[in-house]
Amino acid sequence: MSNTAAQVETTLSARYGKDKVRVLRVVREGKWHHVVEYNVTALLEGDIDVSYTEADNSVIVATDSIKNITYYLAKVSPHVLIPERFALHLGTHLVSRYPHIHKAFITIEQLRWSRIPVTEEQEGHTHAFFRDGQDKRIVKAEVDATAGKDKLIGKVTSGISDLLVLKTTGSAFTNFIRDTYTTLAEVSDRIFSTSVELSYTFAPVEIKPPSDEQKLEFSVPGEEAGVIGGREGGVWDAVEVAGRARGVTMDVFAEDDSASVQATLFKMAQLIIAQNAGVQSVTYVLPNKHYIPVDMKYLDVENVVPPSSAEVFMPIAAPSGLISATISRK
Ligand SMILES: O=c1[nH]c(=O)c2[nH]c(=O)[nH]c2[nH]1
């Protein structure tokens, strides 16, 4: 090699922190216990270049400390049960505490724990839970202090991953381009299955830094400041938004007379935007998980024609279609 590393001009863009901080938090409200389980990623940006370029560790908040801060806030934050608020609180704490840290990026994956249904309590068991689905709630929050430590901006994108759904009719796929490469038959009736990945982006919020670290005050631009306030369907309303988004996803998937994954995706996204004033854009990534009717003509058994009579299908692990789009409010 002719060049030494020192001769090469470079620029640096750096971010670091702790990944996969696993935390289970119990909140006790008399006999009613609440539980959340999170996988947290907390990453920092700021004046940290010398830790890379000069081997100067004096600017490093150890990732071990970032992990400890995550557990500490899980203990003290009044927002811990709501991942969007908790993520903003954690990010706010990190950029507020360290003068040279200008941005925090918090990702929270929330695992499902639902109350075990019991006959005695309509709302389910007071302190026993079960995993009623492999889908996760995903929250990505950025707390940006580049305009000043007293002018924090919170940007939150929330969503769902791994929501596996399947329907046995109400899905067709016809009228697509036919040319020399086409082998796919038009179908008026097919299985439609996907593993939903949904994300929706909230309007940014101004964060008033906390006077004491257990409190967080937010205000939504253009609206009154308040501890709990903000636009309906906005980030402060995140649990309701999440419930509606999951509901819309499943309702539209079930009820739509689907002309394609693309067309069904668009209907889902439009409804989420229509129902939630604080949501600016919605992205779906939907694999089209193919189920192929098994041809049994060689046995003189009809399983393929007409498509609506197919009963035995072969699930195809790969390849799958992959249909995505982002729909934004104008
Ligand atoms: O809903 C669909 N969209 C496509 O773009 C496509 N392509 C394909 O082969 N099958 C399907 N189905």
Side-chain angles (χ1 to χ4, degrees), residues 171-173 176 184 190 192 258-262 288 290 321 323:
S171 168
F173 189 59
F176 48 89
L184 186 69
R190 64 175 181 174
F192 179 7
S258 174
S260 65
V261 178
Q262 287 88 333
N288 188 8
H290 303 305
I323 316 296

Side-chain angles (χ1 to χ4, degrees), residues 152-317:
L152 306 183
I153 302 292
K155 298 168 194 166
V156 179
T157 294
S158 296
I160 303 170
S161 73
D162 301 314
L163 178 62
L164 193 54
V165 290
L166 177 146
K167 66 194 280 188
T168 53
T169 189
S171 168
F173 189 59
T174 59
N175 279 331
F176 48 89
I177 293 170
R178 299 209 79 82
D179 62 14
T180 49
Y181 293 113
T182 312
T183 56
L184 186 69
E186 304 208 343
V187 275
S188 57
D189 195 303
R190 64 175 181 174
I191 300 243
F192 179 7
S193 177
T194 189
S195 176
V196 176
E197 263 194 60
L198 161 66
S199 58
Y200 42 89
T201 299
F202 293 104
V205 286
E206 288 169 13
I207 300 169
K208 202 161 154 260
S211 42
D212 82 73
E213 67 192 16
Q214 295 205 24
K215 296 207 178 69
L216 244 198
E217 296 176 13
F218 293 87
S219 65
V220 176
E223 301 202 18
E224 287 297 310
V227 174
I228 295 186
R231 209 184 299 259
E232 203 182 310
V235 72
W236 209 258
D237 223 6
V239 171
E240 288 73 22
V241 176
R244 285 195 288 267
R246 193 168 185 266
V248 159
T249 301
M250 297 220 264
D251 278 5
V252 174
F253 177 80
E255 295 296 331
D256 185 36
D257 209 356
S258 174
S260 65
V261 178
Q262 287 88 333
T264 302
L265 179 161
F266 185 70
K267 288 181 189 173
M268 292 173 176
Q270 275 223 308
L271 254 184
I272 291 177
I273 289 180
Q275 289 183 355
N276 301 286
V279 169
Q280 290 185 318
S281 66
V282 174
T283 298
Y284 275 102
V285 180
L286 301 178
N288 188 8
K289 297 167 77 68
H290 303 305
Y291 286 76
I292 310 293
V294 176
D295 192 339
M296 303 182 188
K297 276 194 200 73
Y298 73 101
L299 292 174
D300 226 14
V301 173
E302 184 53 71
N303 186 60
V304 176
V305 180
S308 57
S309 71
E311 293 175 315
V312 178
F313 296 82
M314 182 167 45
I316 304 292

Side-chain angles (χ1 to χ4, degrees), residues 100-114:
H100 69 299
I101 298 301
H102 303 310
K103 283 187 181 179
F105 298 85
I106 312 298
T107 300
I108 297 180
E109 183 183 74
Q110 180 178 15
L111 307 178
R112 291 184 70 80
W113 284 121
S114 297

